[in-house]
PDB file of all heavy atoms in Angstrom:
ATOM      1  N   GLN A 162      13.045  22.352  -5.434  1.00 94.00           N
ATOM      2  CA  GLN A 162      11.547  22.609  -5.223  1.00 94.00           C
ATOM      3  C   GLN A 162      10.800  21.430  -5.776  1.00 94.00           C
ATOM      4  O   GLN A 162      11.116  20.879  -6.784  1.00 94.00           O
ATOM      5  CB  GLN A 162      11.127  23.886  -5.922  1.00 94.00           C
ATOM      6  CG  GLN A 162      11.726  25.199  -5.293  1.00 94.00           C
ATOM      7  CD  GLN A 162      10.978  25.619  -4.101  1.00 94.00           C
ATOM      8  OE1 GLN A 162       9.754  25.396  -3.981  1.00 94.00           O
ATOM      9  NE2 GLN A 162      11.697  26.376  -3.258  1.00 94.00           N
ATOM     10  N   ILE A 163       9.679  21.147  -5.089  1.00 94.00           N
ATOM     11  CA  ILE A 163       8.777  20.108  -5.654  1.00 94.00           C
ATOM     12  C   ILE A 163       7.828  20.814  -6.646  1.00 94.00           C
ATOM     13  O   ILE A 163       7.157  21.757  -6.277  1.00 94.00           O
ATOM     14  CB  ILE A 163       7.997  19.469  -4.523  1.00 94.00           C
ATOM     15  CG1 ILE A 163       8.909  18.910  -3.433  1.00 94.00           C
ATOM     16  CG2 ILE A 163       7.008  18.339  -5.007  1.00 94.00           C
ATOM     17  CD1 ILE A 163       9.801  17.718  -3.841  1.00 94.00           C
ATOM     18  N   ILE A 164       7.727  20.214  -7.838  1.00 94.00           N
ATOM     19  CA  ILE A 164       6.924  20.882  -8.877  1.00 94.00           C
ATOM     20  C   ILE A 164       5.864  19.812  -9.361  1.00 94.00           C
ATOM     21  O   ILE A 164       6.164  18.639  -9.548  1.00 94.00           O
ATOM     22  CB  ILE A 164       7.740  21.267 -10.093  1.00 94.00           C
ATOM     23  CG1 ILE A 164       9.082  21.922  -9.683  1.00 94.00           C
ATOM     24  CG2 ILE A 164       6.958  22.173 -11.081  1.00 94.00           C
ATOM     25  CD1 ILE A 164      10.133  21.822 -10.771  1.00 94.00           C
ATOM     26  N   TYR A 165       4.654  20.306  -9.495  1.00 94.00           N
ATOM     27  CA  TYR A 165       3.566  19.511  -9.979  1.00 94.00           C
ATOM     28  C   TYR A 165       3.921  19.134 -11.417  1.00 94.00           C
ATOM     29  O   TYR A 165       4.252  19.975 -12.280  1.00 94.00           O
ATOM     30  CB  TYR A 165       2.248  20.292  -9.942  1.00 94.00           C
ATOM     31  CG  TYR A 165       1.000  19.564 -10.270  1.00 94.00           C
ATOM     32  CD1 TYR A 165       0.866  18.168  -9.869  1.00 94.00           C
ATOM     33  CD2 TYR A 165      -0.063  20.133 -10.917  1.00 94.00           C
ATOM     34  CE1 TYR A 165      -0.269  17.463 -10.178  1.00 94.00           C
ATOM     35  CE2 TYR A 165      -1.198  19.439 -11.192  1.00 94.00           C
ATOM     36  CZ  TYR A 165      -1.314  18.077 -10.844  1.00 94.00           C
ATOM     37  OH  TYR A 165      -2.486  17.410 -11.104  1.00 94.00           O
ATOM     38  N   LYS A 166       3.925  17.799 -11.726  1.00 93.00           N
ATOM     39  CA  LYS A 166       4.413  17.326 -12.980  1.00 93.00           C
ATOM     40  C   LYS A 166       3.708  17.969 -14.202  1.00 93.00           C
ATOM     41  O   LYS A 166       4.329  18.252 -15.224  1.00 93.00           O
ATOM     42  CB  LYS A 166       4.220  15.783 -13.063  1.00 93.00           C
ATOM     43  CG  LYS A 166       5.218  15.049 -13.927  1.00 93.00           C
ATOM     44  CD  LYS A 166       5.208  13.593 -13.683  1.00 93.00           C
ATOM     45  CE  LYS A 166       6.402  12.986 -14.389  1.00 93.00           C
ATOM     46  NZ  LYS A 166       6.605  11.625 -14.054  1.00 93.00           N
ATOM     47  N   LYS A 167       2.437  18.148 -14.070  1.00 93.00           N
ATOM     48  CA  LYS A 167       1.623  18.756 -15.153  1.00 93.00           C
ATOM     49  C   LYS A 167       2.094  20.166 -15.500  1.00 93.00           C
ATOM     50  O   LYS A 167       2.281  20.592 -16.643  1.00 93.00           O
ATOM     51  CB  LYS A 167       0.195  18.722 -14.824  1.00 93.00           C
ATOM     52  CG  LYS A 167      -0.748  18.848 -15.892  1.00 93.00           C
ATOM     53  CD  LYS A 167      -2.151  18.297 -15.596  1.00 93.00           C
ATOM     54  CE  LYS A 167      -3.205  18.888 -16.512  1.00 93.00           C
ATOM     55  NZ  LYS A 167      -3.757  20.180 -16.087  1.00 93.00           N
ATOM     56  N   ASP A 168       2.365  20.918 -14.347  1.00 93.00           N
ATOM     57  CA  ASP A 168       2.923  22.334 -14.528  1.00 93.00           C
ATOM     58  C   ASP A 168       4.281  22.306 -15.263  1.00 93.00           C
ATOM     59  O   ASP A 168       4.525  23.093 -16.124  1.00 93.00           O
ATOM     60  CB  ASP A 168       3.139  23.027 -13.206  1.00 93.00           C
ATOM     61  CG  ASP A 168       1.823  23.294 -12.552  1.00 93.00           C
ATOM     62  OD1 ASP A 168       0.770  23.268 -13.210  1.00 93.00           O
ATOM     63  OD2 ASP A 168       1.806  23.616 -11.305  1.00 93.00           O
ATOM     64  N   LEU A 169       5.075  21.279 -14.804  1.00 94.00           N
ATOM     65  CA  LEU A 169       6.389  21.218 -15.480  1.00 94.00           C
ATOM     66  C   LEU A 169       6.271  20.871 -16.972  1.00 94.00           C
ATOM     67  O   LEU A 169       6.986  21.467 -17.790  1.00 94.00           O
ATOM     68  CB  LEU A 169       7.196  20.090 -14.747  1.00 94.00           C
ATOM     69  CG  LEU A 169       8.643  20.035 -15.062  1.00 94.00           C
ATOM     70  CD1 LEU A 169       9.411  21.269 -14.602  1.00 94.00           C
ATOM     71  CD2 LEU A 169       9.312  18.819 -14.306  1.00 94.00           C
ATOM     72  N   GLU A 170       5.388  19.970 -17.302  1.00 93.00           N
ATOM     73  CA  GLU A 170       5.178  19.577 -18.743  1.00 93.00           C
ATOM     74  C   GLU A 170       4.688  20.749 -19.521  1.00 93.00           C
ATOM     75  O   GLU A 170       5.084  21.070 -20.561  1.00 93.00           O
ATOM     76  CB  GLU A 170       4.273  18.390 -18.813  1.00 93.00           C
ATOM     77  CG  GLU A 170       5.156  17.097 -18.718  1.00 93.00           C
ATOM     78  CD  GLU A 170       4.353  15.917 -18.219  1.00 93.00           C
ATOM     79  OE1 GLU A 170       3.185  15.884 -18.348  1.00 93.00           O
ATOM     80  OE2 GLU A 170       5.022  14.920 -17.757  1.00 93.00           O
ATOM     81  N   GLU A 171       3.686  21.543 -18.892  1.00 94.00           N
ATOM     82  CA  GLU A 171       3.169  22.667 -19.655  1.00 94.00           C
ATOM     83  C   GLU A 171       4.221  23.802 -19.830  1.00 94.00           C
ATOM     84  O   GLU A 171       4.137  24.552 -20.748  1.00 94.00           O
ATOM     85  CB  GLU A 171       2.026  23.205 -18.877  1.00 94.00           C
ATOM     86  CG  GLU A 171       0.740  22.506 -19.140  1.00 94.00           C
ATOM     87  CD  GLU A 171      -0.421  22.844 -18.223  1.00 94.00           C
ATOM     88  OE1 GLU A 171      -0.352  23.820 -17.466  1.00 94.00           O
ATOM     89  OE2 GLU A 171      -1.446  22.075 -18.269  1.00 94.00           O
ATOM     90  N   ASN A 172       5.177  23.805 -18.888  1.00 96.00           N
ATOM     91  CA  ASN A 172       6.271  24.770 -19.003  1.00 96.00           C
ATOM     92  C   ASN A 172       7.477  24.224 -19.747  1.00 96.00           C
ATOM     93  O   ASN A 172       8.596  24.710 -19.628  1.00 96.00           O
ATOM     94  CB  ASN A 172       6.729  25.219 -17.594  1.00 96.00           C
ATOM     95  CG  ASN A 172       7.321  26.609 -17.603  1.00 96.00           C
ATOM     96  OD1 ASN A 172       6.936  27.442 -18.323  1.00 96.00           O
ATOM     97  ND2 ASN A 172       8.336  26.750 -16.753  1.00 96.00           N
ATOM     98  N   LEU A 173       7.222  23.284 -20.674  1.00 97.00           N
ATOM     99  CA  LEU A 173       8.253  22.623 -21.506  1.00 97.00           C
ATOM    100  C   LEU A 173       9.422  22.101 -20.704  1.00 97.00           C
ATOM    101  O   LEU A 173      10.590  22.169 -21.080  1.00 97.00           O
ATOM    102  CB  LEU A 173       8.767  23.606 -22.545  1.00 97.00           C
ATOM    103  CG  LEU A 173       7.724  24.281 -23.415  1.00 97.00           C
ATOM    104  CD1 LEU A 173       8.359  25.333 -24.333  1.00 97.00           C
ATOM    105  CD2 LEU A 173       6.940  23.314 -24.233  1.00 97.00           C
ATOM    106  N   LYS A 174       9.134  21.515 -19.499  1.00 96.00           N
ATOM    107  CA  LYS A 174      10.104  20.941 -18.609  1.00 96.00           C
ATOM    108  C   LYS A 174      11.210  21.964 -18.191  1.00 96.00           C
ATOM    109  O   LYS A 174      12.384  21.565 -18.056  1.00 96.00           O
ATOM    110  CB  LYS A 174      10.776  19.696 -19.253  1.00 96.00           C
ATOM    111  CG  LYS A 174       9.687  18.591 -19.344  1.00 96.00           C
ATOM    112  CD  LYS A 174      10.327  17.202 -19.670  1.00 96.00           C
ATOM    113  CE  LYS A 174      10.529  16.426 -18.442  1.00 96.00           C
ATOM    114  NZ  LYS A 174      10.958  15.069 -18.757  1.00 96.00           N
ATOM    115  N   ILE A 175      10.823  23.169 -17.998  1.00 97.00           N
ATOM    116  CA  ILE A 175      11.696  24.214 -17.448  1.00 97.00           C
ATOM    117  C   ILE A 175      11.067  24.506 -16.023  1.00 97.00           C
ATOM    118  O   ILE A 175       9.906  24.720 -15.921  1.00 97.00           O
ATOM    119  CB  ILE A 175      11.673  25.487 -18.291  1.00 97.00           C
ATOM    120  CG1 ILE A 175      12.196  25.141 -19.656  1.00 97.00           C
ATOM    121  CG2 ILE A 175      12.558  26.609 -17.647  1.00 97.00           C
ATOM    122  CD1 ILE A 175      11.942  26.252 -20.742  1.00 97.00           C
ATOM    123  N   CYS A 176      11.968  24.456 -14.966  1.00 96.00           N
ATOM    124  CA  CYS A 176      11.514  24.748 -13.655  1.00 96.00           C
ATOM    125  C   CYS A 176      10.772  26.155 -13.523  1.00 96.00           C
ATOM    126  O   CYS A 176      11.442  27.158 -13.936  1.00 96.00           O
ATOM    127  CB  CYS A 176      12.646  24.633 -12.680  1.00 96.00           C
ATOM    128  SG  CYS A 176      12.174  25.120 -11.067  1.00 96.00           S
ATOM    129  N   PRO A 177       9.504  26.132 -13.134  1.00 94.00           N
ATOM    130  CA  PRO A 177       8.871  27.502 -13.078  1.00 94.00           C
ATOM    131  C   PRO A 177       9.377  28.372 -12.003  1.00 94.00           C
ATOM    132  O   PRO A 177       9.289  29.589 -11.964  1.00 94.00           O
ATOM    133  CB  PRO A 177       7.391  27.133 -12.773  1.00 94.00           C
ATOM    134  CG  PRO A 177       7.330  25.652 -12.601  1.00 94.00           C
ATOM    135  CD  PRO A 177       8.668  25.070 -12.763  1.00 94.00           C
ATOM    136  N   LYS A 178      10.187  27.775 -11.010  1.00 93.00           N
ATOM    137  CA  LYS A 178      10.727  28.534  -9.906  1.00 93.00           C
ATOM    138  C   LYS A 178      12.110  29.132 -10.213  1.00 93.00           C
ATOM    139  O   LYS A 178      12.322  30.264  -9.951  1.00 93.00           O
ATOM    140  CB  LYS A 178      10.860  27.608  -8.682  1.00 93.00           C
ATOM    141  CG  LYS A 178       9.576  26.700  -8.381  1.00 93.00           C
ATOM    142  CD  LYS A 178       8.877  27.179  -7.141  1.00 93.00           C
ATOM    143  CE  LYS A 178       7.457  26.739  -7.055  1.00 93.00           C
ATOM    144  NZ  LYS A 178       7.143  25.299  -6.937  1.00 93.00           N
ATOM    145  N   CYS A 179      12.946  28.292 -10.805  1.00 96.00           N
ATOM    146  CA  CYS A 179      14.387  28.789 -11.050  1.00 96.00           C
ATOM    147  C   CYS A 179      14.861  28.845 -12.460  1.00 96.00           C
ATOM    148  O   CYS A 179      15.953  29.109 -12.784  1.00 96.00           O
ATOM    149  CB  CYS A 179      15.380  27.989 -10.175  1.00 96.00           C
ATOM    150  SG  CYS A 179      15.648  26.352 -10.817  1.00 96.00           S
ATOM    151  N   HIS A 180      13.924  28.430 -13.351  1.00 95.00           N
ATOM    152  CA  HIS A 180      14.215  28.417 -14.801  1.00 95.00           C
ATOM    153  C   HIS A 180      15.306  27.439 -15.263  1.00 95.00           C
ATOM    154  O   HIS A 180      15.911  27.600 -16.276  1.00 95.00           O
ATOM    155  CB  HIS A 180      14.652  29.886 -15.287  1.00 95.00           C
ATOM    156  CG  HIS A 180      14.203  30.179 -16.659  1.00 95.00           C
ATOM    157  ND1 HIS A 180      12.926  30.222 -17.046  1.00 95.00           N
ATOM    158  CD2 HIS A 180      14.942  30.417 -17.763  1.00 95.00           C
ATOM    159  CE1 HIS A 180      12.868  30.497 -18.422  1.00 95.00           C
ATOM    160  NE2 HIS A 180      14.025  30.571 -18.802  1.00 95.00           N
ATOM    161  N   TYR A 181      15.448  26.373 -14.545  1.00 96.00           N
ATOM    162  CA  TYR A 181      16.427  25.335 -14.785  1.00 96.00           C
ATOM    163  C   TYR A 181      15.794  24.448 -15.939  1.00 96.00           C
ATOM    164  O   TYR A 181      14.640  24.156 -15.884  1.00 96.00           O
ATOM    165  CB  TYR A 181      16.722  24.500 -13.601  1.00 96.00           C
ATOM    166  CG  TYR A 181      17.651  23.336 -13.883  1.00 96.00           C
ATOM    167  CD1 TYR A 181      19.020  23.493 -13.906  1.00 96.00           C
ATOM    168  CD2 TYR A 181      17.098  21.973 -14.003  1.00 96.00           C
ATOM    169  CE1 TYR A 181      19.827  22.396 -14.154  1.00 96.00           C
ATOM    170  CE2 TYR A 181      17.923  20.920 -14.297  1.00 96.00           C
ATOM    171  CZ  TYR A 181      19.280  21.124 -14.305  1.00 96.00           C
ATOM    172  OH  TYR A 181      20.110  20.082 -14.528  1.00 96.00           O
ATOM    173  N   TYR A 182      16.631  24.125 -16.941  1.00 97.00           N
ATOM    174  CA  TYR A 182      16.155  23.245 -18.052  1.00 97.00           C
ATOM    175  C   TYR A 182      16.308  21.789 -17.653  1.00 97.00           C
ATOM    176  O   TYR A 182      17.442  21.296 -17.588  1.00 97.00           O
ATOM    177  CB  TYR A 182      16.946  23.559 -19.267  1.00 97.00           C
ATOM    178  CG  TYR A 182      16.420  24.755 -20.043  1.00 97.00           C
ATOM    179  CD1 TYR A 182      16.223  25.948 -19.425  1.00 97.00           C
ATOM    180  CD2 TYR A 182      16.184  24.592 -21.418  1.00 97.00           C
ATOM    181  CE1 TYR A 182      15.746  26.988 -20.233  1.00 97.00           C
ATOM    182  CE2 TYR A 182      15.667  25.675 -22.175  1.00 97.00           C
ATOM    183  CZ  TYR A 182      15.456  26.872 -21.591  1.00 97.00           C
ATOM    184  OH  TYR A 182      15.035  27.920 -22.319  1.00 97.00           O
ATOM    185  N   LEU A 183      15.228  21.140 -17.343  1.00 96.00           N
ATOM    186  CA  LEU A 183      15.264  19.689 -17.169  1.00 96.00           C
ATOM    187  C   LEU A 183      15.371  19.023 -18.513  1.00 96.00           C
ATOM    188  O   LEU A 183      14.979  19.571 -19.526  1.00 96.00           O
ATOM    189  CB  LEU A 183      13.998  19.182 -16.417  1.00 96.00           C
ATOM    190  CG  LEU A 183      14.039  19.461 -14.899  1.00 96.00           C
ATOM    191  CD1 LEU A 183      13.374  20.830 -14.617  1.00 96.00           C
ATOM    192  CD2 LEU A 183      13.249  18.394 -14.159  1.00 96.00           C
ATOM    193  N   ARG A 184      15.824  17.750 -18.517  1.00 96.00           N
ATOM    194  CA  ARG A 184      16.085  17.086 -19.770  1.00 96.00           C
ATOM    195  C   ARG A 184      14.687  16.557 -20.376  1.00 96.00           C
ATOM    196  O   ARG A 184      13.838  16.256 -19.632  1.00 96.00           O
ATOM    197  CB  ARG A 184      16.972  15.864 -19.584  1.00 96.00           C
ATOM    198  CG  ARG A 184      18.364  16.268 -19.345  1.00 96.00           C
ATOM    199  CD  ARG A 184      19.372  15.112 -19.181  1.00 96.00           C
ATOM    200  NE  ARG A 184      20.633  15.751 -18.732  1.00 96.00           N
ATOM    201  CZ  ARG A 184      21.276  15.291 -17.685  1.00 96.00           C
ATOM    202  NH1 ARG A 184      20.831  14.338 -17.007  1.00 96.00           N
ATOM    203  NH2 ARG A 184      22.401  15.936 -17.385  1.00 96.00           N
ATOM    204  N   MET A 185      14.656  16.638 -21.716  1.00 97.00           N
ATOM    205  CA  MET A 185      13.496  16.137 -22.389  1.00 97.00           C
ATOM    206  C   MET A 185      13.875  14.781 -23.059  1.00 97.00           C
ATOM    207  O   MET A 185      15.022  14.623 -23.583  1.00 97.00           O
ATOM    208  CB  MET A 185      13.097  17.096 -23.526  1.00 97.00           C
ATOM    209  CG  MET A 185      12.577  18.461 -22.938  1.00 97.00           C
ATOM    210  SD  MET A 185      12.037  19.530 -24.310  1.00 97.00           S
ATOM    211  CE  MET A 185      10.292  19.236 -24.372  1.00 97.00           C
ATOM    212  N   SER A 186      12.888  13.846 -23.110  1.00 96.00           N
ATOM    213  CA  SER A 186      13.074  12.661 -23.788  1.00 96.00           C
ATOM    214  C   SER A 186      13.049  12.857 -25.353  1.00 96.00           C
ATOM    215  O   SER A 186      12.550  13.975 -25.782  1.00 96.00           O
ATOM    216  CB  SER A 186      12.091  11.620 -23.391  1.00 96.00           C
ATOM    217  OG  SER A 186      10.759  12.015 -23.948  1.00 96.00           O
ATOM    218  N   ALA A 187      13.481  11.967 -26.090  1.00 97.00           N
ATOM    219  CA  ALA A 187      13.407  12.042 -27.566  1.00 97.00           C
ATOM    220  C   ALA A 187      11.929  12.259 -28.057  1.00 97.00           C
ATOM    221  O   ALA A 187      11.742  13.136 -28.874  1.00 97.00           O
ATOM    222  CB  ALA A 187      13.949  10.790 -28.254  1.00 97.00           C
ATOM    223  N   ARG A 188      11.011  11.523 -27.429  1.00 96.00           N
ATOM    224  CA  ARG A 188       9.627  11.681 -27.765  1.00 96.00           C
ATOM    225  C   ARG A 188       9.077  13.101 -27.482  1.00 96.00           C
ATOM    226  O   ARG A 188       8.339  13.702 -28.251  1.00 96.00           O
ATOM    227  CB  ARG A 188       8.706  10.665 -27.094  1.00 96.00           C
ATOM    228  CG  ARG A 188       9.129   9.216 -27.329  1.00 96.00           C
ATOM    229  CD  ARG A 188       8.612   8.685 -28.651  1.00 96.00           C
ATOM    230  NE  ARG A 188       9.202   7.404 -28.895  1.00 96.00           N
ATOM    231  CZ  ARG A 188       9.345   6.918 -30.170  1.00 96.00           C
ATOM    232  NH1 ARG A 188       9.054   7.617 -31.216  1.00 96.00           N
ATOM    233  NH2 ARG A 188       9.976   5.784 -30.341  1.00 96.00           N
ATOM    234  N   GLU A 189       9.509  13.615 -26.313  1.00 96.00           N
ATOM    235  CA  GLU A 189       9.057  14.965 -25.957  1.00 96.00           C
ATOM    236  C   GLU A 189       9.611  16.020 -26.901  1.00 96.00           C
ATOM    237  O   GLU A 189       8.952  16.976 -27.274  1.00 96.00           O
ATOM    238  CB  GLU A 189       9.475  15.268 -24.550  1.00 96.00           C
ATOM    239  CG  GLU A 189       8.680  14.595 -23.484  1.00 96.00           C
ATOM    240  CD  GLU A 189       9.239  14.583 -22.108  1.00 96.00           C
ATOM    241  OE1 GLU A 189      10.486  14.781 -21.961  1.00 96.00           O
ATOM    242  OE2 GLU A 189       8.554  14.541 -21.101  1.00 96.00           O
ATOM    243  N   ARG A 190      10.854  15.803 -27.339  1.00 98.00           N
ATOM    244  CA  ARG A 190      11.481  16.698 -28.299  1.00 98.00           C
ATOM    245  C   ARG A 190      10.760  16.685 -29.626  1.00 98.00           C
ATOM    246  O   ARG A 190      10.478  17.775 -30.198  1.00 98.00           O
ATOM    247  CB  ARG A 190      12.938  16.321 -28.565  1.00 98.00           C
ATOM    248  CG  ARG A 190      13.856  16.499 -27.438  1.00 98.00           C
ATOM    249  CD  ARG A 190      14.721  17.737 -27.586  1.00 98.00           C
ATOM    250  NE  ARG A 190      15.400  18.037 -26.403  1.00 98.00           N
ATOM    251  CZ  ARG A 190      15.526  19.260 -25.923  1.00 98.00           C
ATOM    252  NH1 ARG A 190      15.239  20.303 -26.556  1.00 98.00           N
ATOM    253  NH2 ARG A 190      16.247  19.428 -24.805  1.00 98.00           N
TER     254      ARG A 190
END
Side-chain angles (χ1 to χ4, degrees):
Q162 293 277 334
I163 306 292
I164 317 157
Y165 188 35
K166 208 165 187 168
K167 201 159 157 272
D168 289 346
L169 192 63
E170 273 155 22
E171 276 169 13
N172 205 34
L173 309 176
K174 295 193 94 173
I175 300 166
C176 172
K178 312 250 162 64
C179 73
H180 211 64
Y181 176 82
Y182 275 52
L183 282 90
R184 287 183 189 127
M185 293 180 99
S186 69
R188 303 277 170 208
E189 287 167 333
R190 291 259 169 217

